[in-house]
Amino acid sequence: MTAVQVNPGASAGQVSEQYTLSAEHQADQLLARLDAMRQKIDQSARKISLDEAIALGIRNNPELISAFRSIQHYEWQLIAAQRQWYPTFEISNGAPTLGLDVVTYTTKYYNDPNRTSVSTTPGSAIGSEPLSISQYQNTLNFQPNASISWNFIDPSRQPDINAASEALRQQKLLFEVSARDLILNIQSSYFALQSTRQLIEKFYKIYDINRQLLEVNKARYEIRLVSMLALAQTQTQLYNQLNQLLGYTKQFIEESSTLAMRLGLPADALALPDEKANLYRDWSMTLPQTINRAIESREEILASLAAAEEARWDGISKVNNYLPIILLYGEGSLSMESGVINGFPGGDNTQYEQLRTQWDGAVGLGFEWTWDGGVDAATARSDNAQEEMERSKATMNRLKAVQQVRSSFGQYEISRVAVDSARLAYKSAQVAQEAARARYEIGLGDITSIVQTIEQLGTASVSLSDSILNYNNSVAQLYRYSATWPGESDQLVRQQEKNLR
């Protein structure tokens, strides 16, 4: 703020006069700084319509992308569950399965009846001097083993698949919830920016009115037609309006940042509405129709029911684990040894080179049954409790949907009346301040009347802006809470799903 130069030798009245006469210049400087900040944002930002903002948010918002990745996670879980129908195949065995096997071993023979040298030492065992024979084996081995099994009767398999399918359905519904919440948030930010910008424009006009009035009072003060009180009162009103503009500009900056976040814009980008604040659109359905649609279509309700079905199938799967599994089993193995078998180390082992081949195979039915001490039974009871909890949650979501629709519909109807009333009040406030100024200019009114009418004009401006904002928000909420897609947003969401795949 610019410092006020005051004559040290001036009286109290002269100091007050000097301060008042410089007030408008200080206010103008502050207003210029405020306007520069707003203009900097306005000039650097991209101007878009509401439909463009919704399309941009659906394409860029990371929360929506994250919700879709969750769908893909559950899609693969369902595929994994469905693949339990496939047989399993295994190749194993062999030490090694394919490789070189070198063995040297010694066999000692005691009591060989073919030996001629027999010990005669008293107490010694017959043939106590052992005959040692070393043998040698060097073979290339190939010993694969293959087995295949198929649980063609598995009582827990289909319930597992059904549970995975319901979990996927729940995630798809929650993705729809995320998309609807995103659209509502974008609409709310867009409408709020329109409203704040409208208030800034109106209060700039009110500031200009008061600024002109201050010039008139300065001229009158110089010829002593008004008192210092009237001049100071006008100046105070000017600063009050400046403070209001400061608050609305701060709000404008915050709301533009919020919209940029919801649109998923980069750090150096902003977006602002290219449309002035006006009534969004009408709501065509009646209250009973809106409630019925919400009860039938709200994804939160359907998601809770899907979660209940998932828990139910999980419980069935756990109970079915106590039933036997019937499987088809087949196994085959091959053992091939090629090389010296039972030869002698260091000798000519040509005659001991051999090729041994052995086939082995089996096929038939198998039977499996396990008892875990009741663990799965307890887990099944837990799943049953989870199912009941989710069904209760669905009931609560149904009640919440009705409450939200009723509240938004009531706000919609009231705001329609409020908009008409606020427009009339604003026009009346305009006429009142113009009449008060005209009377003041010809000496029939006082400054207090003008200050009051200007304050009433500011109040009427806020009321009109708020009533339009409330109307637009109520319509956006009715779309959200009745599970109705505004405009072409449904096609945009479907297209984004395709793009993310």
Side-chain angles (χ1 to χ4, degrees):
M1 182 180 293
T2 304
V4 179
Q5 300 296 327
V6 179
N7 184 0
S11 64
Q14 290 173 328
V15 170
S16 176
E17 179 179 351
Q18 293 175 19
Y19 177 78
T20 304
L21 291 176
S22 64
E24 69 275 14
H25 300 296
Q26 298 179 55
D28 288 345
Q29 290 176 358
L30 293 174
L31 184 65
R33 291 167 58 187
L34 197 61
D35 188 57
M37 287 188 291
R38 187 179 65 86
Q39 289 294 334
K40 184 178 180 180
I41 295 174
D42 192 71
Q43 292 172 2
S44 62
R46 173 183 173 184
K47 308 302 187 300
I48 58 175
S49 66
L50 178 57
D51 290 339
E52 290 173 335
I54 291 174
L56 193 61
I58 290 174
R59 286 198 304 268
N60 294 340
N61 189 271
E63 289 185 6
L64 195 61
I65 296 174
S66 174
F68 179 78
R69 297 307 177 199
S70 180
I71 290 178
Q72 292 184 307
H73 167 73
Y74 281 89
E75 283 177 341
W76 283 109
Q77 285 195 339
L78 174 59
I79 291 172
Q82 291 171 335
R83 288 180 179 177
Q84 294 179 31
W85 278 102
Y86 297 166
T88 59
F89 183 73
E90 180 182 3
I91 297 178
S92 62
N93 206 20
T97 300
L98 176 63
L100 186 66
D101 187 10
V102 179
V103 179
T104 300
Y105 57 93
T106 301
T107 303
K108 292 186 178 182
Y109 294 93
Y110 296 90
N111 306 323
D112 186 346
N114 296 322
R115 293 181 56 187
T116 58
S117 176
V118 179
S119 174
T120 58
T121 304
S124 64
I126 297 176
S128 59
E129 292 295 328
L131 173 63
S132 297
I133 300 177
S134 297
Q135 288 183 299
Y136 170 70
Q137 182 167 312
N138 183 357
T139 59
L140 178 64
N141 294 343
F142 180 51
Q143 305 177 75
N145 182 71
S147 65
I148 184 171
S149 64
W150 179 45
N151 299 348
F152 65 94
I153 298 179
D154 186 348
S156 66
R157 177 171 50 208
Q158 191 58 46
D160 285 340
I161 295 173
N162 294 344
S165 177
E166 292 297 332
L168 174 60
R169 186 164 73 92
Q170 181 192 16
Q171 291 304 311
K172 288 182 177 179
L173 291 166
L174 293 177
F175 173 78
E176 301 289 307
V177 171
S178 298
R180 293 190 190 279
D181 285 340
L182 173 63
I183 292 171
L184 176 60
N185 290 334
I186 291 173
Q187 289 172 320
S188 299
S189 294
Y190 194 92
F191 294 146
L193 269 171
Q194 285 181 320
S195 179
T196 303
R197 187 166 62 183
Q198 182 186 60
L199 283 172
I200 290 173
E201 291 173 356
K202 290 188 179 299
F203 272 86
Y204 264 101
K205 293 179 181 178
I206 295 174
Y207 180 91
D208 289 339
I209 292 173
N210 206 67
R211 184 68 176 79
Q212 294 171 11
L213 180 62
L214 185 59
E215 289 294 334
V216 172
N217 280 343
K218 279 178 57 181
R220 290 191 172 192
Y221 176 78
E222 290 174 358
I223 59 177
R224 298 299 183 264
L225 291 179
V226 297
S227 65
M228 174 60 67
L229 175 61
L231 191 60
Q233 200 171 4
T234 308
Q235 178 258 334
T236 301
Q237 179 75 1
L238 193 71
Y239 272 114
N240 287 338
Q241 291 158 5
L242 185 61
N243 287 333
Q244 287 177 297
L245 277 171
L246 179 63
Y248 291 133
T249 303
K250 175 177 176 292
Q251 186 174 331
F252 181 81
I253 294 172
E254 291 174 351
E255 290 166 351
S256 63
S257 301
T258 301
L259 180 61
M261 177 194 68
R262 289 171 174 168
L263 298 183
L265 298 179
D268 58 346
L270 285 175
L272 293 177
D274 67 349
E275 307 163 350
K276 291 186 177 181
N278 209 339
L279 299 185
Y280 179 36
R281 57 180 68 172
D282 290 330
W283 184 251
S284 58
M285 287 189 286
T286 64
L287 177 59
Q289 290 173 334
T290 308
I291 290 176
N292 290 336
R293 180 176 178 82
I295 292 174
E296 294 173 359
S297 305
R298 280 288 290 270
E299 289 85 359
E300 295 91 335
I301 302 172
L302 300 176
S304 294
L305 293 175
E309 284 297 301
E310 178 193 1
R312 183 174 75 87
W313 284 113
D314 279 336
I316 293 174
S317 175
K318 298 299 187 301
V319 172
N320 288 357
N321 282 337
Y322 293 107
L323 299 176
I325 297 175
I326 308 298
L327 56 92
L328 181 64
Y329 182 80
E331 181 180 13
S333 63
L334 170 65
S335 177
M336 297 180 66
E337 293 178 297
S338 176
V340 177
I341 300 176
N342 297 330
F344 295 96
D348 183 6
N349 292 305
T350 305
Q351 61 179 329
Y352 297 106
E353 290 184 358
Q354 303 177 34
L355 171 62
R356 288 184 180 179
T357 303
Q358 179 179 344
W359 292 90
D360 187 16
V363 65
L365 295 177
F367 173 85
E368 292 183 6
W369 184 80
T370 57
W371 169 254
D372 63 357
V375 174
D376 282 338
T379 306
R381 295 294 296 271
S382 172
D383 290 329
N384 293 338
Q386 179 74 17
E387 177 190 358
E388 295 302 320
M389 183 188 75
E390 293 294 344
R391 294 193 185 280
S392 298
K393 188 182 295 185
T395 302
M396 190 63 221
N397 286 335
R398 190 178 295 110
L399 294 173
K400 183 179 180 181
V402 173
Q403 180 270 327
Q404 288 174 330
V405 168
R406 288 187 181 276
S407 176
S408 299
F409 198 90
Q411 180 179 334
Y412 166 72
E413 291 192 318
I414 291 173
S415 60
R416 283 196 302 177
V417 179
V419 168
D420 293 335
S421 175
R423 282 173 174 167
L424 293 174
Y426 180 76
K427 290 180 181 179
S428 298
Q430 279 185 314
V431 172
Q433 66 87 18
E434 289 172 358
R437 287 168 57 197
R439 286 173 55 83
Y440 183 75
E441 289 174 359
I442 62 175
L444 296 179
D446 56 16
I447 190 62
T448 302
S449 300
I450 296 181
V451 170
Q452 289 176 345
T453 56
I454 291 178
E455 287 180 350
Q456 290 171 354
L457 180 60
T459 301
S461 300
V462 173
S463 296
L464 178 58
S465 180
D466 287 346
S467 61
I468 294 175
L469 178 61
N470 290 336
Y471 176 91
N472 291 340
N473 281 336
S474 66
V475 175
Q477 289 169 1
L478 284 171
Y479 275 102
R480 167 65 184 91
Y481 298 144
S482 66
T484 304
W485 296 102
E488 298 181 353
S489 55
D490 185 19
Q491 292 87 334
L492 293 171
V493 172
R494 303 287 84 81
Q495 183 60 45
Q496 177 66 354
E497 287 185 274
K498 293 180 181 179
N499 295 339
L500 291 175
R501 291 190 183 277

